[in-house]
Structure formats: structure tokens, C-alpha cells
Amino acid sequence: MSASSYINAILESIKIRANEPVFLQAATEVLKSLEPILSAEKKYQEHAILEQLIIPEKIHTFRVIYCDDKGKANVNLGYRVQFSSALGPYKGGLRFHPSVNLDLLKFLGFEQIFKNSLTGLMMGGAKGGSDFDPKGKSEAEIMRFCQAFMLNLSKVIGATTDVPAGDIGVGGREIGYMFGMYKKLTGFYDGTLTGKGLNWGGSLARTEATGYGCVYFTDEMLKKAKQGLEGKVCAVSGSGNVAIYTIEKLYQMGAKPVTISDSNGFVYDKNGIDLELLKEIKEVKRGRVSDYAKARKDAVYTEAKAYKKGTNGVWSVPCDGAFPSATQNELNLEDIKTLYSNGCRFVSEGANMPSTLEAIDFMLSKKDFHFGPAKAANAGGVATSQLEMQQNSSMSQWSFEEVDKKLHKIMKNIFNNSYETAKEFKHAGNLVVGSNIAGFKKVADAMIDHGYI
Ligand code: NDP
Ligand code: 2IT
């Protein structure tokens, strides 16, 4: 069968098995870009690599019940999707958000396989989480939920088998409660979770890693085109972990980030986002971007319900480059057309799959546009998680500078590997093709080496 017929048959099999639109979207993006390598090397089809890759090795689903502050029972669904262990222990974050379902976690777990492979470090791919909504919950409710979630999760994770971390709705606080419960249940004090606190096994620079890594990647991408970040006006979406440290590193590189957002609206601060105020509101007070706007003269807040239908308001702000750092499908074809006509010439994805397939096609079709896809651009977080695992297994702690230096080197390598691979497969400049093929090749070759298991 030709490579393109093989790819279409596999995508068809996903549609037949289940109605999973976001997983199908993620699979379509990856599989379509693998055509050059699947045409050149028949072994992947002979060994049924795609048939295997689209099915998680294991899916764990469980009931989570916890008691709220009024003494009432609350029930949620918990998951861990262990997608691939070809390159190392399962690795990937946990998301707590009401939209979490199996489709969403399959998309995230699938992406994680190739992202983790690209880092060059030993890690398989996984994702997990719950449809629990942390918004409006008390500290005690968050703690009880995390403990109840870990009661089940602890049975399927371990320092050399599966190492979860944070994602949307799961940060240092939640990792702390989950680690405490894991330790109590198993008796192990080890590197089973990453993103831990600094005085109990965490790595310096893990908090900063995804945002910093995304900006390091962008710097490489722009340097290749003989450009730079200095003086560039940047639109950033989201206001969580990834957005905050993208903004911090953008300032360090001489750029000016002018926006932040959440699910209620966005802020345009033409003088540049006040980073200390943002950290105070989000990391200390756990507030909203509307609180930022209230505290900052000249910052303009627009509510989400005022956005033009079918668009994300944050992308209406004129900028040189955009960093989608909130969630999936937050940047569509209309958004990218608006960005482009307002002068935007690069996008680096801090979030997972923030751009729709149509938006990606638009960006790749423009000769004067630079697109850093999520798997490559946001891999700094998970890469630094693996550096945390290395420190835990040797019972050591490296300095901030040491970890940051390693992170920077990893991001340069990811860029170069993606760039060179795209060139090798006759798609020069297309980092989607480059990163997907480079990530795929390592995983697929390992699967062949391991035999049919
Ligand atoms: P946080 O929970 O810290 O922040 C998430 C931010 O995105 C919040 O501002 C949130 O707003 C916004 N957001 C979430 N869901 C939606 C939605 N449906 N619509 C609009 N806004 C939304 O998460 P992170 O910063 O850790 O994660 C952001 C993205 O980066 C995710 O795609 C994640 O998968 C990805 N990522 C994270 C890594 C990490 O190390 N943390 C590593 C690599 C990728 P609100 O408060 O209103 O929900
Ligand atoms: O999407 C991601 O790469 C993450 N949420 C980080 C995963 C990790 O294991 O650090």
C-alpha cells in the first residue's frame, strides 16, 4: 500500500473505533506529516507501527470520591493513559479540568510520545487527570481530592514505570498533596512525581522550564532566519505556569509581551505586562486576569463574551509574534489571518495543540512565517522533569544555572534536529514535518527492536 493510503487507512480506523475528535485531530497532524519517511522506509508499514502507535498500551479509569467542606460526597472520573513505553518509563502530566475525558487524554498522551522522544532523553508517553474542577474549591477540598485521586493512581505509577507531573489545573500545590499521599500509601520517597517542591526533591528551574524552553526554541528559530526577539512585541495567551514564564523569558530576551488571558477574557497592556503584578495575582492570590487589569493603569480588559464569534480576542492585538499558552484549539484560521494581517510573523506553541489544523496549514503556506509546533517548542517542561528524575535517582540537586544550561542545550538540539530532519525529507523550513519525523523515528525503531510485545 502507498504511504498515503496506509495513513488514511489508519486514520479511518480511529474514526471507526470511537468518536474522538481531538485525538483524531492530533493523530491526523502527526500521521499526515510522516508520509515522507513512510514512503522512504517500508519497514514501518511491515511492522504495523502506526496500527500499534494509535492504541495506548494501557488505559486506567477509576472513580474518585471525596468529601467537600459541607460533608457532601463528590464523585469524579480519574484516568491514566499509558500510551507508549518504547523509550522509557511512561511520562506526562495530569490535568484537572471539567473538560477532561478519554478523548482529550488520548490526544495529550499521543502528543507526549513524540515530544518526549524529541528531547533525546529516556521517556515514554502518558497523560492523566480528572474532570474535577479546581475553580472555587477550598484549600482543604483540593487536598482531599488530590489524596483521593492518588489512592487509585498510586497503584499504576512508580519511579521506573510511570512518572506523572503537572498540567492545566495541577501545579506545585497539587503535586505536593499527591506526593504526600503517594509516600504514605507506598512508603517510597522517590522520583515518582515531578514538579515537586524544592526542599523535597524538586528541581530548580522546573517551574520556569516550559515557558523558558519555548522562548529558547523561538530564539533558535528566528536566528536561523537571521532575525531575533529583541524589540519584538509579543501576544501571549493564558496566565498560568507556561504563560508566566514565557513572559519572564521574553523580557530577558529584550522582547515586549503585551497580553495575557484566561477563560473569562484577555488583557492588553500596551506598556508591557507587569510580571511582578501578574505573579502576585496568579501565584499568590490565585486570581483572574480581570484582577490584573483592575490593578494596572492603562491595561484594557475585554470579556470573552465580547469576542467576535468564533475567534479568540487575544489574537486581535497587533504583534510581531504569538505564544499560545492556554489550551487546545485556541487559535483558528480566522485568528491566524487576523494575526498575519496585523503583522505577526511567528507563532510558538507553549500549549498542546493550540492551533487548529487549518491554522497550521495557513502558517506553513506563508514563506515569511515561522511556526514552532508544540511538540518541539514546549518540550522544555517535560525535559526538565526528566532532569528532575535524574537528580532524584542520584539523590542530588543541581543549581538553577546548571539545569537552565541543560534546558537551553536541549531546546537548541530539538530545534536543530527538527530543522535538519525537515531538510533531509525535502520539506526545508517545515518544523511540523521535521519534529514529527524525528520524534517518530526513534520510537518506531525502538518498537521494532523490542519485537512484537
Ligand atoms: P495552568 O493551569 O497553569 O494555566 C492554564 C491557563 O490556560 C489559565 O490561564 C487558564 O485559564 C487557561 N485555560 C485553560 N483552559 C482554558 C480554556 N478551555 N479556555 C480558555 N483558557 C483556558 O496550566 P499550564 O500553564 O501548565 O498549561 C497551559 C498549556 O500548556 C496546556 O495546553 C498544557 O497542556 C501545556 N503545557 C504545560 C506544560 C507544563 O509544564 N505545565 C508543559 C507543556 C505544555 P482559566 O483559569 O480561566 O482556566
Ligand atoms: O504537556 C507536557 O509536556 C506537560 N504537561 C509536562 C509533563 C511532564 O511530565 O513534565
Side-chain angles (χ1 to χ4, degrees):
M1 203 190 295
S2 72
S4 64
S5 306
Y6 178 41
I7 290 163
N8 287 334
I10 299 297
L11 291 173
E12 202 50 42
S13 75
I14 293 177
K15 283 188 221 161
I16 290 166
R17 280 202 181 103
N19 177 25
E20 294 179 326
V22 279
F23 174 52
L24 181 65
Q25 182 185 340
T28 303
E29 189 244 283
V30 174
L31 266 51
K32 294 264 183 203
S33 67
L34 297 179
E35 213 210 295
I37 190 168
L38 296 175
S39 294
E41 305 213 36
K42 294 290 170 219
K43 64 178 177 180
Y44 299 120
Q45 204 178 134
E46 284 159 17
H47 289 285
I49 292 298
L50 296 187
E51 288 86 335
Q52 296 180 65
L53 266 177
I54 57 156
I55 300 180
E57 289 174 14
K58 273 169 269 166
I59 300 174
H60 304 277
T61 316
F62 44 89
R63 181 171 70 202
V64 185
I65 176 157
Y66 74 100
C67 195
D68 67 20
D69 289 347
K70 296 191 183 96
K72 194 175 144 290
N74 281 259
V75 183
N76 287 98
L77 258 167
Y79 305 86
R80 185 70 177 164
V81 177
Q82 297 176 328
F83 229 116
S84 168
S85 61
L87 293 180
Y90 302 112
K91 183 85 195 86
L94 297 170
R95 180 176 291 193
F96 292 169
H97 193 274
S99 63
V100 165
N101 58 28
L102 190 55
D103 176 24
L104 186 96
L105 294 177
K106 279 177 72 176
F107 125 60
L108 289 163
F110 186 72
E111 293 280 294
Q112 204 80 43
I113 305 173
F114 307 99
K115 182 197 308 197
N116 294 3
S117 165
L118 263 184
T119 65
L121 304 168
M122 277 183 69
M123 286 185 282
K127 205 82 186 190
S130 174
D131 57 2
F132 170 71
D133 186 358
K135 280 199 195 83
K137 301 292 188 298
S138 72
E139 186 76 25
E141 286 170 333
I142 298 278
M143 180 166 71
R144 287 197 293 274
F145 177 80
C146 290
Q147 292 171 339
F149 182 77
M150 186 49 83
L151 210 50
N152 279 293
L153 188 71
S154 63
K155 295 174 191 151
V156 299
I157 59 174
T160 56
T161 53
D162 184 352
V163 183
D167 193 79
I168 290 177
V170 177
R173 172 180 63 169
E174 291 74 19
I175 294 290
Y177 293 144
M178 285 191 270
F179 183 76
M181 192 63 175
Y182 173 81
K183 184 163 68 69
K184 185 170 173 118
L185 288 167
T186 64
F188 296 140
Y189 203 116
D190 60 20
T192 298
L193 289 159
T194 60
K196 298 186 290 300
L198 293 179
N199 55 355
W200 43 274
S203 174
L204 284 154
R206 174 60 188 91
T207 304
E208 293 82 356
T210 311
Y212 277 25
C214 187
V215 179
Y216 290 146
F217 183 92
T218 312
D219 186 44
E220 295 302 314
M221 182 169 79
L222 294 182
K223 276 201 303 222
K224 198 61 153 189
K226 306 211 170 351
Q227 298 172 24
L229 278 163
E230 181 83 40
K232 295 284 193 300
V233 173
C234 298
V236 179
S237 67
S239 49
N241 173 267
V242 179
I244 292 171
Y245 293 95
T246 294
I247 289 171
E248 182 162 293
K249 185 53 75 178
L250 281 172
Y251 276 126
Q252 289 173 18
M253 295 278 195
K256 185 163 87 164
V258 292
T259 62
I260 45 173
S261 71
D262 58 29
S263 50
N264 298 119
F266 84 94
V267 169
Y268 175 39
D269 192 340
K270 66 177 186 333
N271 300 318
I273 295 293
D274 181 334
L275 182 62
E276 288 321 304
L277 177 63
L278 174 63
K279 284 188 180 178
E280 172 72 18
I281 284 171
K282 292 302 301 179
E283 296 184 332
V284 182
K285 296 186 176 147
R286 296 184 181 275
R288 312 293 299 160
V289 299
S290 55
D291 300 323
Y292 172 97
K294 276 182 211 139
R296 175 100 163 145
K297 196 170 146 284
D298 291 339
V300 180
Y301 178 64
T302 307
E303 275 192 88
K305 55 183 177 221
Y307 296 173
K308 188 177 161 217
K309 199 166 180 291
T311 70
N312 184 349
V314 71
W315 308 132
S316 64
V317 171
C319 62
D320 300 307
F323 291 82
S325 313
T327 194
Q328 62 280 351
N329 291 328
E330 55 163 323
L331 198 166
N332 64 23
L333 182 60
E334 195 169 344
D335 294 321
I336 192 64
K337 283 183 175 166
T338 306
L339 280 166
Y340 190 82
S341 63
N342 283 338
C344 175
R345 288 296 177 269
F346 63 90
V347 163
S348 271
E349 298 184 321
N352 284 306
M353 206 169 76
S355 313
T356 62
L357 292 172
E358 296 75 22
I360 294 175
D361 284 345
F362 179 91
M363 292 188 267
L364 295 177
S365 73
K366 298 286 176 199
K367 290 265 172 302
D368 60 349
F369 202 92
H370 307 285
F371 175 54
K375 274 179 228 81
N378 75 31
V382 75
T384 308
S385 275
Q386 211 273 5
L387 301 179
E388 183 171 327
M389 290 162 71
Q390 290 186 38
Q391 292 167 78
N392 292 161
S393 57
S394 60
M395 295 281 186
S396 56
Q397 188 168 43
W398 306 335
S399 68
F400 188 96
E401 290 68 30
E402 224 173 324
V403 180
D404 189 36
K405 212 167 128 191
K406 285 181 199 283
L407 166 66
H408 202 157
K409 194 168 158 202
I410 290 168
M411 297 315 296
K412 278 186 183 183
N413 288 343
I414 292 175
F415 173 77
N416 288 328
N417 190 5
S418 304
Y419 186 85
E420 293 304 326
T421 305
K423 221 159 68 180
E424 183 189 336
F425 286 91
K426 316 250 174 308
H427 281 73
N430 182 334
L431 297 174
V432 175
V433 165
S435 60
N436 285 339
I437 291 183
F440 167 81
K441 190 170 167 22
K442 256 185 83 182
V443 182
D445 289 345
M447 289 166 75
I448 294 171
D449 291 347
H450 294 164
Y452 303 155
I453 44 167

